[in-house]
Amino acid sequence: METRTYVSFDNMKNFKPLVLEGQSSASLKYDSWIEMDLQCSIDTREHNFQDYWIVNFQGTYHRKHSSRKHTFISFNGGKSWKIIGTQIENLIILGHGGLLFGSEKGSDKIFFSYNEGNTWHSKFLKYKSVIVMKKLEYPNNLAIATINYNTRSNIYYFYLFKFSSVLSNRSLMTDTMCQRKDFQTWYVPRYFRNCFQGQQVFYMKKKSNVLCVDNRTFIRAEINQCPCFIEDFQWY
């Protein structure tokens, strides 16, 4: 028996199967499909819906006669999904998606990405496996604290990774804060033309290829009027 996960963009009137980036819905009917681990918890919103456009879940990617567990993440409100490498666990997201950080299972290796997982960087901590990770996110700083354990010496270590200064060095800027030009309009996905019941809702989202710190503490929704369609309304 196949279990698949679907998403609705019109208040549960229509449902679509989840798709990976660059994948068509048609291929999911026969070739592959996604099954998310959906658990009821009071922490679901905090852990799985970390921003207006960021959604992440653990799940299984089924393809023909094979199935593998993965971390799935979407940066467009669930419209399409990315698979995070199976070796990365304890994924942390900071700066409204501007930084992804994780550790390798049973290893002393950490991974981080500045562009929504399109490119990953890694670093070895040398015999110091990560056992605890905690994000320290402030408006103008991106930092992660970890507690590591050296199995050979039986010693615990505390690491503090500060990424704001790293972004400054990589982008050759003295000011790493995002400017107006670093953002783009992101529309809340809907079933029909990003419009639902006469409203088109959008936010300003940092461009994925820009190296800067999104230090906004509050992101306001903008609403435009748009034509109503008969498909937007329920019929009883």
Side-chain angles (χ1 to χ4, degrees):
M1 181 178 178
E2 298 177 358
T3 302
R4 304 173 183 233
T5 303
Y6 293 78
V7 62
S8 174
F9 298 114
D10 57 1
N11 289 16
M12 299 184 293
K13 185 176 181 181
N14 294 281
F15 286 85
K16 294 182 177 181
L18 303 186
V19 297
L20 300 177
E21 285 192 357
Q23 187 178 38
S24 66
S25 299
S27 67
L28 295 178
K29 295 180 180 179
Y30 312 102
D31 184 51
S32 58
W33 66 94
I34 299 172
E35 176 188 354
M36 294 298 192
D37 299 334
L38 304 178
Q39 300 178 356
C40 294
S41 170
I42 59 175
D43 299 325
T44 296
R45 187 181 184 281
E46 178 183 353
H47 292 161
N48 302 111
F49 299 88
Q50 300 193 22
D51 224 313
Y52 296 106
W53 48 81
I54 302 175
V55 191
N56 70 290
F57 279 99
Q58 298 294 315
T60 304
Y61 184 54
H62 302 277
R63 184 174 178 85
K64 293 184 178 179
H65 303 294
S66 66
S67 299
R68 297 192 67 178
K69 284 283 188 180
H70 293 282
T71 297
F72 295 86
I73 186 168
S74 173
F75 291 98
N76 53 21
K79 191 174 182 179
S80 63
W81 296 78
K82 293 181 179 181
I83 290 179
I84 303 300
T86 55
Q87 75 276 24
I88 301 177
E89 64 178 0
N90 302 321
L91 183 67
I92 290 179
I93 306 170
L94 290 88
H96 305 294
L99 173 66
L100 306 183
F101 184 95
S103 60
E104 187 174 57
K105 294 180 180 179
S107 170
D108 56 355
K109 191 176 184 180
I110 60 170
F111 293 87
F112 48 95
S113 172
Y114 304 114
N115 56 5
E116 299 182 352
N118 294 322
T119 305
W120 287 92
H121 309 274
S122 61
K123 182 178 180 61
F124 285 97
L125 302 180
K126 196 174 182 180
Y127 309 119
K128 303 178 183 67
S129 298
V130 178
I131 58 174
V132 177
M133 289 198 305
K134 182 70 174 179
K135 62 181 179 181
L136 306 174
E137 188 172 16
Y138 301 95
N140 296 333
N141 290 284
L142 299 178
I144 294 175
T146 69
I147 297 177
N148 307 65
Y149 177 64
N150 189 321
T151 56
R152 294 188 177 185
S153 61
N154 197 30
I155 296 176
Y156 290 88
Y157 294 83
F158 175 81
Y159 280 87
L160 180 62
F161 300 92
K162 298 179 66 177
F163 285 92
S164 299
S165 57
V166 174
L167 289 174
S168 179
N169 292 333
R170 287 177 60 87
S171 56
L172 301 178
M173 298 187 306
T174 56
D175 183 8
T176 61
M177 300 304 109
C178 294
Q179 308 300 315
R180 180 182 294 271
K181 62 181 177 59
D182 299 323
F183 295 92
Q184 62 185 0
T185 302
W186 175 76
Y187 292 93
V188 174
R190 289 300 188 178
Y191 187 81
F192 194 67
R193 296 184 182 178
N194 294 329
C195 182
F196 185 69
Q197 295 183 352
Q199 290 189 335
Q200 190 179 58
V201 182
F202 65 93
Y203 299 86
M204 298 309 297
K205 176 179 179 290
K206 186 183 79 69
K207 299 175 182 177
S208 62
N209 61 338
V210 174
L211 292 175
C212 63
V213 177
D214 184 353
N215 64 341
R216 294 175 296 172
T217 57
F218 175 75
I219 302 177
R220 184 180 63 181
E222 303 286 347
I223 300 176
N224 287 337
Q225 300 300 312
C226 57
C228 288
F229 299 94
I230 193 171
E231 292 86 354
D232 293 345
F233 299 93
Q234 297 285 355
W235 293 91
Y236 299 95

